[in-house]
Amino acid sequence: MGQAFYVAGTGTDIGKTFFSCLFMAKYAESYGFRYWKPIQTGLSSASDTEFVQKTTNLSDSFFLKPVYEFLTPTSPHYASKQEGKTLDPKSLLGVIAKERKTNTLIEGAGGVFVPWTEDYLAIKGIQESNLPVVVIGSTELGTINHTLLTLDVLTARFIPVIGFYLVGPKNPLQSDNADIIQRLGGAPCLGVTNFPEQKLLPSEFISFANEHFDTDRNVIDTLLIPEDEI
């Protein structure tokens, strides 16, 4: 029996997909994890699923197709309206529920208050999915505020938070950022990984992930704990 988990960001383009690449590169084959972005906007360029697959060089069997796809690079509620499509949260949650007991990384779209529809926020979907969450924050200035806000709204709704992980450029503030967020946010820091200094080939990225990601196994070991003990 596996454990799906939700990757939530403190904002848009904060590093969720980079985290997902790292996680999949290091753990997909050894633990049978799959990557899934149920709602994908901005398909006028490469999708996040395509990016993760290209970066990690994993086969199609490690990826689930999005449930909803939109060309418009905006929040789902606006993209669906612009393209004349309907996003049904209840239907989406039904699909997600079928994957609860599988080893699946589910990447969210934007931050936790992004509207899926005009009257349904992402955080409600996260809450109703009842999946454990890893919060992704930046290493840079401003991350204390953004990450604490995200942790606060999740824990206030009794959403199970595994912890937070910081990614981004190397920053002299990042150690203090992680310490303060952990001290004040009520959730453990699972790790910090900086962006590589140059673009890497898939084989190089896999080596990078094995060396620099989840070095203390905080993420994977927590996920391997039975769900009722998280």
Side-chain angles (χ1 to χ4, degrees):
M1 185 175 292
Q3 175 61 66
F5 70 105
Y6 193 94
V7 175
T10 60
T12 301
D13 293 329
I14 209 69
K16 298 188 307 298
T17 305
F18 177 64
F19 172 91
S20 299
C21 287
L22 292 167
F23 183 93
M24 294 297 291
K26 189 164 186 173
Y27 295 131
E29 292 186 314
S30 53
Y31 293 102
F33 272 91
R34 298 171 301 167
Y35 171 87
W36 188 25
K37 187 154 188 174
I39 304 175
Q40 175 69 66
T41 63
L43 281 177
S44 53
S45 57
S47 72
D48 291 329
T49 302
E50 292 170 335
F51 180 81
V52 175
Q53 185 166 18
K54 182 178 180 180
T55 302
T56 60
N57 204 28
L58 290 164
S59 67
D60 291 347
S61 63
F62 289 97
F63 299 88
L64 294 174
K65 293 182 178 179
V67 179
Y68 294 102
E69 296 180 291
F70 306 100
L71 293 173
T72 313
T74 62
S75 68
H77 88 283
Y78 187 81
S80 59
K81 183 168 59 175
Q82 288 295 108
E83 297 175 31
K85 299 178 181 178
T86 300
L87 193 161
D88 182 356
K90 183 177 180 181
S91 174
L92 177 57
L93 289 172
V95 178
I96 291 174
K98 295 177 182 178
E99 303 298 336
R100 278 183 50 77
K101 301 301 182 182
T102 64
N103 282 345
T104 305
L105 182 161
I106 302 175
E107 182 182 341
V112 298
F113 273 100
V114 164
W116 286 1
T117 70
E118 291 187 342
D119 57 5
Y120 193 98
L121 294 170
I123 194 165
K124 187 173 182 182
I126 298 170
Q127 183 177 32
E128 293 186 342
S129 72
N130 198 32
L131 292 173
V133 177
V134 174
V135 173
I136 308 304
S138 170
T139 55
E140 299 186 279
L141 181 66
T143 194
I144 293 175
N145 177 71
H146 302 330
T147 307
L148 288 178
L149 283 172
T150 302
L151 291 171
D152 186 64
V153 299
L154 290 168
T155 55
R157 289 163 172 77
F158 303 102
I159 294 169
V161 177
I162 294 172
F164 67 93
Y165 204 104
L166 300 185
V167 299
K170 188 163 184 155
N171 190 297
L173 296 172
Q174 63 190 34
S175 294
D176 184 71
N177 286 340
D179 290 343
I180 291 296
I181 294 167
Q182 180 168 255
R183 186 177 304 169
L184 300 177
C189 177
L190 302 173
V192 180
T193 301
N194 297 123
F195 294 150
E197 295 180 358
Q198 60 188 25
K199 187 174 181 180
L200 304 176
L201 296 172
S203 60
E204 295 171 328
F205 187 85
I206 292 167
S207 296
F208 176 86
N210 285 328
E211 183 177 353
H212 297 285
F213 174 69
D214 197 25
T215 53
D216 294 323
R217 291 183 57 92
N218 293 325
V219 178
I220 192 64
D221 285 347
T222 303
L223 289 169
L224 296 177
I225 296 172
E227 184 183 2
D228 57 2
E229 296 181 21
I230 296 178

